[in-house]
Amino acid sequence: QERELNVELQTEEIEVLQSIYEDAFQLKANFDDADGVRAFTIAIPGRHAIQLLIHLPFGYPTTDAPVAEVYESFGLTNAQRDQILQDLDTIFQRSSGQVCLYEWIEGVRDVYANDEDVDLSSLSISDSKEGVQEASRATMGQEQEEDDAPPVSFISDPQTLRPRVRTAQLVRDPEREARLAPLIFHGKPFTDRKSTFQGHACPVHSVEDVRSFLAILMDDRKIERAIHNMLAYRIVGDFVIKDNDEDGEDAAGSKLSHLLELTKAENVAVVVTRWFGGILLGPDRFKHINTAARETLEEGGFLAASILNHSKKKNKK
C-alpha cells in the first residue's frame, strides 16, 4: 500500500512540475517495469546553465529522500553544488512525508536564475515611473549618481504599489475601467469534482491598469464570492514589472508568474477563479489553475505566435 501511495504522489508531483516548467522539465525514465525508477531533469535558466537530475526512489516521499545531482552547470563551485544538494536534504527532512521538489527547485531558481526582472514583491516604493526606474537600477546594481534624478518616493502602505484582488475596489478609476472593460477576455470554465475553474485576462501597461482590471472582475458578484481569485501580471517596457497575488491559495500566484515568464507573455494580467465544490483536489488543483490560465492566454491572443505554434506541436505528439 505504501508503494502504491508513493507512486500516486510521485505521479501527481511530476504532472504538476511538467505543467509549471514545461520545456525546462525532461522525463528521463519512468516506471516501465516493476524495477523501474522515475528520473527527470530540470533546467534552471541563467548564466550557470544548471541542469538538475532527480531520481525518485520507491520510498519517496513517505520515507526516502529524492536522489539528486547537479547534472550540468557552468561556473558553479563545488561548495555551491554541495549547498544545492544540502538544501534538498533539509527541505525533505521537514516535509513530513509530503512531496517537496517544487520548494527545492524554486529555491535554486531564486538563487541562480539570471532574472533581471523587477519583482514588485521586494519593493516598497511608489508606482510612479521614476520611482520604479530608480528601484530597478538599485535592484540590478546599476544605480548611478544623477544630479537631476527625481527622489525615490517611499510609502508606508505597499498596497498603493501592489494591486491585490480583495482590495482593488477601494480605489476606482472610471475612465480607465471604461477603456479596459471591453478588452477583458474570459476563458471557458471547466469543472473537476465539483470545483470550477475559469481564467480571465486583460492587456495592461501599468499597475493602475492591473488594479482597474481587478476592480472590474470583483464587481461581478459570482467572481467576487469565489474561494480564490489568483492573479499574476507581467508588464514589459524598458524593464519588466511583475507580481502576483495568491488570494489564499498558497504558491498559486508564483506558479502563474512562472507561466507568464515561460510563455514570454507581455503586458498582460491573468486571473484564475476557483469556485470550490467541497472536494479537495490535492495537487490536481495546480494543474487546473495552470490549464485555465494558459488556455485563456492562448484563446485571448495574449501569447506570441511562436509560443502558440510550439504548444500545438507539443500537443500533437
Side-chain angles (χ1 to χ4, degrees):
Q1 289 184 341
E2 181 176 318
R3 169 74 181 274
E4 293 177 355
L5 173 61
N6 284 332
V7 169
E8 181 179 354
L9 291 173
Q10 289 182 19
T11 299
E12 292 177 347
E13 184 174 36
I14 285 175
E15 289 177 352
V16 170
L17 294 176
Q18 285 178 313
S19 176
I20 295 170
Y21 298 113
E22 295 190 318
D23 289 346
F25 178 101
Q26 295 293 327
L27 193 64
K28 297 296 184 183
N30 212 329
F31 285 124
D32 296 325
D33 53 57
D35 297 321
V37 175
R38 282 171 167 161
F40 56 89
T41 60
I42 292 285
I44 306 298
R47 61 189 179 90
H48 291 292
I50 297 172
Q51 289 269 356
L52 303 173
L53 176 61
I54 301 117
H55 299 269
L56 303 183
F58 296 136
Y60 173 78
T62 56
T63 56
D64 296 338
V67 179
E69 61 180 288
V70 180
Y71 188 54
E72 295 179 5
S73 68
F74 179 79
L76 280 186
T77 66
N78 289 335
Q80 288 173 317
R81 287 169 172 261
D82 291 344
Q83 185 61 56
I84 289 173
L85 302 181
Q86 179 60 46
D87 289 344
L88 174 58
D89 183 65
T90 300
I91 292 170
F92 174 75
Q93 293 301 325
R94 67 166 184 258
S95 66
S96 302
Q98 300 298 313
V99 295
C100 63
L101 290 173
Y102 174 76
E103 180 182 353
W104 174 59
I105 293 167
E106 285 303 290
V108 178
R109 285 173 59 93
D110 286 345
V111 175
Y112 293 104
N114 187 18
D115 188 355
E116 296 184 349
D117 293 357
V118 178
D119 190 343
L120 293 186
S121 63
S122 65
L123 303 181
S124 59
I125 61 172
S126 70
D127 55 0
S128 66
K129 180 178 179 181
E130 294 84 357
V132 175
Q133 286 176 330
E134 190 75 14
S136 176
R137 288 194 292 269
T139 302
M140 297 166 59
Q142 298 174 352
E143 186 172 6
Q144 299 177 352
E145 293 293 334
E146 299 181 60
D147 294 336
D148 58 346
V152 178
S153 175
F154 289 91
I155 57 176
S156 59
D157 180 10
Q159 177 58 38
T160 61
L161 176 65
R162 304 180 67 191
R164 286 294 172 263
V165 171
R166 300 300 173 178
T167 58
Q169 292 174 298
L170 296 179
V171 179
R172 305 303 294 256
D173 185 337
E175 291 186 6
R176 189 184 302 273
E177 291 175 20
R179 173 173 57 82
L180 292 176
L183 306 178
I184 296 175
F185 180 83
H186 301 280
K188 297 177 182 178
F190 60 89
T191 301
D192 177 20
R193 285 164 281 179
K194 299 184 179 180
S195 279
T196 299
F197 298 81
Q198 184 181 21
H200 321 271
C202 181
V204 294
H205 294 87
S206 67
V207 290
E208 293 92 345
D209 283 353
V210 179
R211 193 175 296 115
S212 290
F213 166 49
L214 294 176
I216 295 169
L217 286 183
M218 292 300 103
D219 282 343
D220 186 318
R221 289 290 293 163
K222 182 180 179 182
I223 294 175
E224 191 272 335
R225 294 173 67 179
I227 188 171
H228 302 301
N229 284 289
M230 298 146 283
L231 160 75
Y233 63 89
R234 189 167 183 262
I235 302 169
V236 179
D238 294 335
F239 45 85
V240 177
I241 302 173
K242 62 176 184 177
D243 198 9
N244 64 80
D245 181 7
E246 297 173 345
D247 192 31
E249 179 63 277
D250 189 34
S254 60
K255 288 177 170 62
L256 289 176
S257 279
H258 292 145
L259 174 65
L260 294 183
E261 292 178 14
L262 290 169
T263 57
K264 298 180 174 61
E266 297 184 359
N267 302 320
V268 64
V270 62
V271 169
V272 175
T273 300
R274 179 190 180 185
W275 291 275
F276 184 56
I279 300 174
L280 298 176
L281 301 185
D284 280 351
R285 68 191 189 277
F286 294 116
K287 181 172 62 176
H288 294 329
I289 291 167
N290 182 82
T291 297
R294 186 180 183 94
E295 289 183 353
T296 298
L297 292 169
E298 289 182 355
E299 294 169 4
F302 295 99
L303 300 184
S306 59
I307 300 295
L308 288 172
N309 291 336
H310 178 69
S311 177
K312 291 176 181 177
K313 290 178 181 178
K314 286 180 63 179
N315 292 335
K316 289 180 180 179
K317 292 181 180 180

